[in-house]
Amino acid sequence: MMTLAGAMSTAELGISLSKMIRENKVHAITCTGANLEEDLFNLVAHDSYKRIPNYRDLSPEDEQKLLDSHLNRVTDTCIPEEEAFRKIEDIVLKHWIEADKKNESFFPHEFLFKIFASKELDHEFQIDKKDSWLYSAFEKQIPIFVPGWEDSTLGNIFAAHCINEDISSPRCVRSGIEYMIELANWYKAISSKNDIGFFQIGGGIAGDFPICVVPMMEQDLQIKTPKWAYFCQISDSTTSYGSYSGAVPNEKITWGKLDIDTPKFVIESDATIVAPLIFAYVLDL
């Protein structure tokens, strides 16, 4: 299980992660809604992105100018609204409305997979699709889980279309609870045959959501469940009270997420540097 928090897609982690997926080294992904959509944004709007190497020196007035230019900043990279958000909105809205009219429902990532399957955006690709982790996940059909999707840009756009009644019911997009049920079914099936490792980039909901499936199954469903086979996290978070990203792995033992003898590793560094190095080692590059 690979988990993605932070702006990994905009940092173009897909260049190395997609190789891991294609070589069958990653078997499931849990990510934030932002990482899900931003990999697609990068795929279709890469040439219009604006780099801001001096982002630490920007004044509030500088930030306002970026907003006025319809550039949404993520650290040192600005995502162009028209070329990314609105381009995808026009396409995915058709699929939302179609599902709504047919009284069907799909997970957020499944709508994006539908777009890939239809090839309706292929002519818009501005980078090699092999450098898109989402496209590689689509080709390999590995499961994706996206808790809290509603706080993403497309989640906000979907909510707006529901409020405007372009979409009659939000039920056409399946929920986070349904993602947890799907995750439990996947974990039960796979763990009965194979150990499952947990590789976490960052923290937050992308990390906590999937790791909780084990105690949920054991404590709430009363099902004997194998623990995660190992835990590895890349994080630059400071250990502090109440911080999930900064919590040391041993704290997870008290929640039933990990065992006493589970191999545990924390790499305190920048994931955009360290993750590709680890992937290259795994792939023997």
Side-chain angles (χ1 to χ4, degrees):
M1 169 65 75
M2 175 74 64
T3 80
L4 302 176
M8 293 300 107
S9 291
T10 297
E12 297 190 284
L13 190 67
I15 294 172
S16 55
L17 177 55
S18 59
K19 292 186 179 72
M20 291 280 286
I21 295 170
R22 293 197 305 274
E23 294 297 323
N24 301 313
K25 304 299 184 183
V26 174
H27 306 94
I29 290 176
T30 301
C31 67
T32 59
N35 272 297
L36 180 75
E37 66 191 16
E38 287 177 16
D39 187 80
L40 180 55
F41 294 160
N42 184 56
L43 182 60
V44 302
H46 179 271
D47 295 347
S48 298
Y49 276 46
K50 182 178 177 62
R51 310 299 172 180
I52 312 289
N54 63 325
Y55 70 95
R56 296 180 185 273
D57 300 324
L58 296 178
S59 67
E61 290 75 18
D62 293 329
E63 305 280 18
Q64 182 64 46
K65 288 178 183 177
L66 292 174
L67 173 63
D68 293 342
S69 299
H70 304 284
L71 294 169
N72 298 262
R73 186 170 68 83
V74 180
T75 314
D76 64 349
T77 303
C78 290
I79 304 174
E81 179 181 338
E82 293 301 322
E83 291 83 354
F85 304 162
R86 301 310 165 196
K87 182 186 293 183
I88 299 303
E89 176 183 5
D90 291 342
I91 299 295
V92 74
L93 178 59
K94 293 188 298 183
H95 290 275
W96 288 337
I97 291 175
E98 181 182 5
D100 180 46
K101 288 180 176 178
K102 291 182 177 179
N103 200 28
E104 297 176 337
S105 62
F106 301 95
F107 286 116
H109 76 277
E110 290 179 318
F111 281 104
L112 303 189
F113 280 9
K114 283 177 174 290
I115 292 172
F116 285 151
S118 70
K119 298 185 181 299
E120 58 197 297
L121 266 181
D122 283 19
H123 66 287
E124 299 280 5
F125 292 172
Q126 296 182 1
I127 63 171
D128 191 328
K129 61 187 179 183
K130 288 184 177 180
D131 289 338
S132 163
W133 72 259
L134 184 61
Y135 199 93
S136 294
F138 159 71
E139 289 184 317
K140 284 291 185 177
Q141 288 294 298
I142 66 172
I144 298 178
F145 308 96
V146 192
W149 172 76
E150 56 272 13
D151 85 339
S152 66
T153 298
L154 288 180
N156 290 177
I157 289 171
F158 176 75
H161 283 292
C162 289
I163 293 169
N164 286 337
E165 299 184 344
D166 301 319
I167 298 167
S168 64
S169 170
R171 288 192 294 273
C172 64
V173 176
R174 298 178 69 182
S175 71
I177 294 298
E178 291 176 283
Y179 263 132
M180 179 57 79
I181 295 169
E182 194 83 357
L183 173 59
N185 291 334
W186 175 83
Y187 194 91
K188 182 179 180 181
I190 301 301
S191 65
S192 66
K193 302 175 183 178
N194 299 280
D195 292 337
I196 308 175
F198 196 97
F199 194 98
Q200 176 178 316
I201 296 180
I205 194 172
D208 201 26
F209 179 88
I211 206 169
C212 281
V213 73
V214 170
M216 187 271 284
M217 293 173 71
E218 286 209 308
Q219 298 170 20
D220 303 317
L221 288 173
Q222 301 290 302
I223 297 174
K224 182 65 176 176
T225 304
K227 297 289 197 299
W228 296 97
Y230 69 81
F231 174 83
C232 182
Q233 177 183 8
I234 305 175
S235 175
D236 58 5
S237 179
T238 302
T239 301
S240 61
Y241 289 106
S243 168
Y244 176 78
S245 303
V248 295
N250 283 349
E251 184 177 301
K252 294 171 174 54
I253 295 172
T254 72
W255 292 89
K257 300 170 183 175
L258 302 178
D259 233 336
I260 291 175
D261 56 358
T262 303
K264 310 171 191 69
F265 311 93
V266 176
I267 304 167
E268 295 182 344
S269 189
D270 184 334
T272 63
I273 298 171
V274 173
L277 293 174
I278 294 174
F279 297 164
Y281 180 83
V282 171
L283 294 167
D284 195 26
L285 297 178

